[in-house]
Amino acid sequence: MTPKKERIALTVPIDIGNAADAAEAVKVALVDGSGKVIQSQVVKTGDKAAATFELDAVPRGARVVIGPQDADDESLPKLQTVSAAISPRAFTDATRVTLPAVRIPSYYWPWWLRWCRTFTITGTVLCPDGKPVPGAQVCAFDVDWFWFWQSKQQIGCAVTDVNGFFKITFRWCCGWYPWWWWQLRSWQIDTKLAAELYQTLPPELRIKPIPLPDPAPDLGSIEALIPQSRKPAGLRPAAPISARAASADDAVAQTQSLRVLKDTTSDFLTRAEALRPTFAELLPNRNALRIWPWYPWYPWNDCNPDVLFQVTQACGGKTNVIVDQGYAQTQWDIPTSYNVTLIANGDACCAEDTTDCGDPCLSITHVCDLYRSHIDQTTGSATAGLAYPGTASAGNKVNADRPFAESIAVRGLPSCMGDDVDYYGVEYAQYNGSSWNAYAPMPLSGLGAFTRGYYVFGSGSNTAVAYVPTIIGGHAVYPSRRKLEASLATPWVCLDNCQLLFIWLTNSAAWADGTYRLRVQPYKETSPGVLTPQQLPECADGEPNEIVITIDNRPSPDPAHLPPGTPDHPCGAGTVHICTKEPDCDVEAVRLRRADGTVVDIVPCGIYTRQPGDSLEIDFAVDDRDDHLAWYTFDATYGENQVSDLLTGTTLTPITADAVGPQYYDALTQGATAPKWHGGRITVTIPAAQIALKLPDPCCYQLELRAYKRTIANCDYNFTHYNLAEYSFFY
């Protein structure tokens, strides 16, 4: 019978000396040659403190590591701890071995007490108007920069509650050995910061050919910027850092890989510190940025993380990034308890249910997100129903006296209708020039479906609830919020379209251009399929249950300008010109007037030789049939990406136009009567003195005439009703 092999007992005494601030306990670990922990235990400090390990054999290259008691086994060997080597000869004839006491110098205690600490970040995510953003995932990252290279390490995430509040708790350790810190980080180029840094380089550095940098810090691209005469003497060629130690089970391979990682990391850091003063002297704005080379670089000893936040939110059927902080938003060296307010961008869905309704009521407050006070509600006014009435000025030349078109979203307080409202419809009346016609029910074709987004807590995602108009009891109606929200699991919060009452689907075929008054009619379903009208007062904010809106749709196709148009005014397929008179534009004729008075008609694609004293006359038309022209531009494009403005420094002369503009406010100062500006036919004259500026080189020139209408179409304020005409020739 083979005798059982006796296990080896290894005792490690611990000597804390006279350290007054010693911790109550430390962690003692036995690690192999690759740095992997074999066994560990927490030992209370004091007289006769010691750790005892029992094992079958002592691996080659094993050592004892002592560090903070709250460091985990994976981190402990990678921190700047106290260690002691173990000689295999001590176990030649003995199975119970006591090592010499391992002394812990007083230097380590203040560090160890703060190397591994618990941090708590609390905060709120808000929309720019102060409304909370619920159901958003907030992730915090520790970030480090070396020049324009960035390393981000996620340190924790949390989901905001109904008030937009979040709390992230994480454990943070510092005091790493540099090579282990490097192995734990991944790198990328911060392209935005790189662009900013290179723009600030002195001219003599900016013109140098810079090698394409690697994703990880690369001293080669930095050394290329430093003149040879300024480089430190004896600087060896740059060597890349070994990115990772081997993960193989072979202990020998791991040990060799770790040795390579140590050597290459040491080489990189030595070279970086040698280059840092010289490189910083070559750059402007010294100490302006808290990054290398303006700051010494020891991130492995950073005991307070530098934090950036990224916030995402599922809303509207997709996940949006609503906060994405960069270098300028870095929160440096945060304390263990830190509070922050994060302001989301326009892609966030805010908690909109913040209105105190009081008693059941009705109110219409917005059209296309524009508050009703910015829309003229005066019956009989020339600007009734127009957005931004009478606001045209030298500083606001086009965003004034704007009608609406196509799909129009009308908002109010649908959550305030009360428990007696199951459905609601819309009624309208049109202004006939002297009075209002009688109210009539909105047909089903005039009402658009929409969805409201809800965040249901516990589900972890957003829920879209469809509000679809339908016919019940002969009425075209929407279901009330109370009716559909009753099916949602609680708790929930409404995120988007919470205040949307209805969508008015206007189009040129069903709705005549003009001014309308709309109101909401609530109903109670007294029996299946039977709706009884309800009368609700105005809400406490005093806004009435009616809104005045002027619409100006453009027909498509336009009977006045059908494709393919005329030979001198083509439109539709194969052209850049839209077949519409709302607005319309056309380059009608181009004339070259020689110094001797000779007039040469320039035809499209013609080739003409320039002569001294030439001037140019161009007849063009820009107009809007419904008198809502906003502005126009007229440019000549040529060469490679070259453009010349033909309206500045030239003369505009009306042929049949009510005003030449080129912008709405300009037209008003020229005699147009607000809110009307029709436009018309105009001549632009480029005098001989301007030819060299407007058409500077012998080249093919393309004239581009663009006209814009003031309509707010589909609640888009970016002047989407426009037209384009082009005319090219060689001169």
Side-chain angles (χ1 to χ4, degrees):
M1 182 176 179
T2 303
K4 184 177 180 181
K5 186 177 180 180
E6 189 173 357
R7 288 171 63 83
I8 298 173
L10 174 65
T11 299
V12 183
I14 299 169
D15 181 5
I16 65 172
N18 297 320
D21 52 356
E24 294 181 356
V26 294
K27 175 172 280 191
V28 183
L30 185 66
V31 302
D32 62 19
S34 67
K36 182 179 180 181
V37 172
I38 303 170
Q39 294 182 28
S40 70
Q41 58 186 266
V42 174
V43 177
K44 289 186 177 181
T45 56
D47 294 339
K48 299 181 180 180
T52 300
F53 302 99
E54 290 190 1
L55 56 162
D56 294 327
V58 178
R60 185 178 182 85
R63 61 194 176 95
V64 173
V65 173
I66 304 175
Q69 63 168 319
D70 48 6
D72 57 61
D73 283 0
E74 183 179 0
S75 301
L76 186 65
K78 301 172 183 177
L79 297 171
Q80 297 175 35
T81 50
V82 175
S83 64
I86 302 175
S87 173
R89 289 177 297 185
F91 298 90
T92 303
D93 300 317
T95 58
R96 303 185 66 84
V97 175
T98 299
L99 296 181
V102 180
R103 178 72 177 270
I104 303 177
S106 299
Y107 164 83
Y108 281 94
W109 295 114
W111 283 99
W112 284 1
L113 291 174
R114 60 195 299 260
W115 272 2
C116 291
R117 295 179 295 167
T118 298
F119 284 71
T120 300
I121 300 175
T122 58
T124 53
V125 182
L126 303 176
C127 284
D129 61 0
K131 294 178 181 177
V133 180
Q137 178 166 282
V138 183
C139 289
F141 297 84
D142 172 68
V143 63
D144 289 288
W145 279 274
F146 183 90
W147 189 227
F148 53 62
W149 286 276
Q150 179 196 68
S151 175
K152 290 175 68 174
Q153 181 184 45
Q154 183 173 296
I155 52 181
C157 295
V159 176
T160 57
D161 65 10
V162 65
N163 298 308
F165 175 81
F166 67 90
K167 180 178 180 180
I168 298 173
T169 299
F170 62 96
R171 193 75 173 154
W172 181 256
C173 290
C174 61
W176 301 92
Y177 288 116
W179 51 89
W180 283 121
W181 180 90
W182 190 281
Q183 189 195 37
L184 296 172
R185 308 293 292 210
S186 59
W187 293 88
Q188 63 185 8
I189 294 174
D190 186 335
T191 54
K192 182 178 180 181
L193 182 60
E196 294 175 358
L197 290 174
Y198 275 117
Q199 286 175 359
T200 63
L201 289 178
E204 64 272 16
L205 298 187
R206 198 181 309 171
I207 62 175
K208 289 194 172 189
I210 301 171
L212 184 66
D214 295 327
D218 173 19
L219 292 177
S221 62
I222 293 170
E223 291 180 17
L225 297 172
I226 301 176
Q228 188 64 36
S229 61
R230 299 290 301 275
K231 292 180 181 178
L235 196 67
R236 295 178 300 169
I241 291 181
S242 176
R244 294 288 182 270
S247 58
D249 293 333
D250 185 353
V252 175
Q254 289 181 347
T255 302
Q256 292 176 343
S257 178
L258 179 58
R259 186 178 300 113
V260 172
L261 179 63
K262 288 181 179 180
D263 291 344
T264 56
T265 304
S266 176
D267 177 72
F268 178 90
L269 297 176
T270 300
R271 293 173 57 79
E273 184 57 26
L275 291 170
R276 187 178 69 81
T278 300
F279 191 40
E281 288 176 0
L282 295 173
L283 302 174
N285 300 321
R286 297 178 190 175
N287 301 324
L289 302 174
R290 293 184 57 173
I291 58 177
W292 187 97
W294 291 284
Y295 269 61
W297 198 62
Y298 308 110
W300 45 89
N301 284 334
D302 191 354
C303 293
N304 292 71
D306 305 320
V307 176
L308 292 180
F309 292 93
Q310 185 181 76
V311 185
T312 58
Q313 183 190 37
C315 181
K318 60 181 180 179
T319 299
N320 298 317
V321 178
I322 60 175
V323 175
D324 192 11
Q325 294 185 332
Y327 176 84
Q329 291 81 43
T330 306
Q331 283 118 111
W332 303 96
D333 298 324
I334 68 167
T336 54
S337 295
Y338 183 66
N339 185 265
V340 64
T341 298
L342 304 175
I343 303 300
N345 60 30
D347 292 329
C349 287
C350 317
E352 297 186 12
D353 286 335
T354 58
T355 302
D356 183 8
C357 299
D359 295 328
C361 60
L362 261 177
S363 182
I364 296 178
T365 59
H366 293 77
V367 177
C368 290
D369 293 324
L370 187 64
Y371 194 68
R372 62 182 297 127
S373 63
H374 298 291
I375 304 169
D376 191 352
Q377 299 295 298
T378 308
T379 299
S381 168
T383 57
L386 299 181
Y388 310 113
T391 60
S393 66
N396 179 36
K397 291 193 172 186
V398 296
N399 193 33
D401 301 333
R402 302 186 64 179
F404 297 86
E406 301 181 40
S407 178
I408 303 172
V410 179
R411 301 179 184 273
L413 301 177
S415 60
C416 294
M417 292 187 192
D419 295 340
D420 286 337
V421 175
D422 299 303
Y423 297 92
Y424 61 91
V426 181
E427 297 179 339
Y428 73 95
Q430 186 176 13
Y431 191 68
N432 60 25
S434 59
S435 62
W436 293 102
N437 295 328
Y439 270 110
M442 180 81 72
L444 187 64
S445 61
L447 298 175
F450 61 90
T451 61
R452 286 195 176 100
Y454 296 88
Y455 185 81
V456 180
F457 288 87
S459 69
S461 62
N462 288 50
T463 298
V465 177
Y467 285 75
V468 181
T470 187
I471 299 294
I472 299 179
H475 304 282
V477 292
Y478 290 96
S480 68
R481 277 190 57 174
R482 180 194 61 81
K483 188 174 185 67
L484 291 191
E485 289 172 352
S487 63
L488 294 174
T490 55
W492 54 262
V493 61
C494 186
L495 290 180
D496 60 313
N497 286 335
C498 304
Q499 307 302 335
L500 185 57
L501 281 167
F502 61 90
I503 296 177
W504 184 19
L505 300 178
T506 71
N507 60 75
S508 59
W511 298 90
D513 290 347
T515 302
Y516 292 81
R517 186 163 60 190
L518 308 178
R519 69 184 182 189
V520 173
Q521 175 58 61
Y523 297 94
K524 181 178 179 62
E525 190 173 30
T526 53
S527 60
V530 177
L531 302 184
T532 301
Q534 302 294 300
Q535 299 299 321
L536 298 180
E538 296 177 7
C539 291
D541 61 7
E543 304 298 354
N545 174 28
E546 66 176 15
I547 192 76
V548 177
I549 303 173
T550 291
I551 62 173
D552 179 9
N553 285 294
R554 66 177 185 183
S556 180
D558 191 333
H561 192 18
L562 293 174
T566 60
D568 60 350
H569 197 174
C571 68
T575 77
V576 298
H577 191 66
I578 302 171
C579 296
T580 181
K581 292 289 187 179
E582 300 185 27
D584 195 12
C585 57
D586 185 39
V587 179
E588 297 180 336
V590 183
R591 296 179 298 277
L592 185 62
R593 191 175 294 276
R594 302 295 191 183
D596 61 3
T598 303
V599 176
V600 180
D601 291 329
I602 293 181
V603 298
C605 298
I607 301 176
Y608 303 89
T609 303
R610 60 179 61 213
Q611 297 179 6
D614 283 351
S615 63
L616 201 66
E617 297 173 354
I618 306 172
D619 297 337
F620 65 94
V622 286
D623 57 79
D624 176 55
R625 177 173 53 196
D626 290 334
D627 298 325
H628 289 136
L629 193 62
W631 87 93
Y632 62 89
T633 63
F634 202 10
D635 298 308
T637 59
Y638 62 99
E640 184 175 2
N641 302 327
Q642 302 298 301
V643 62
S644 175
D645 175 11
L646 300 182
L647 300 179
T648 302
T650 58
T651 302
L652 296 175
T653 306
I655 303 174
T656 60
D658 57 349
V660 298
Q663 300 183 83
Y664 175 53
Y665 174 73
D666 300 328
L668 296 181
T669 64
Q670 296 160 2
T673 303
K676 297 182 178 182
W677 179 32
H678 179 86
R681 300 177 62 232
I682 304 166
T683 298
V684 58
T685 301
I686 305 175
Q690 289 285 318
I691 285 291
L693 297 175
K694 301 301 182 183
L695 309 176
D697 304 312
C699 195
C700 182
Y701 288 90
Q702 177 161 280
L703 308 183
E704 297 182 356
L705 177 64
R706 289 176 170 83
Y708 296 84
K709 190 179 172 82
R710 274 175 279 143
T711 43
I712 300 170
N714 293 312
C715 291
D716 188 334
Y717 292 81
N718 291 320
F719 301 91
T720 56
H721 282 176
Y722 76 99
N723 218 332
L724 168 64
E726 294 180 346
Y727 196 106
S728 60
F729 58 91
F730 188 93
Y731 174 66

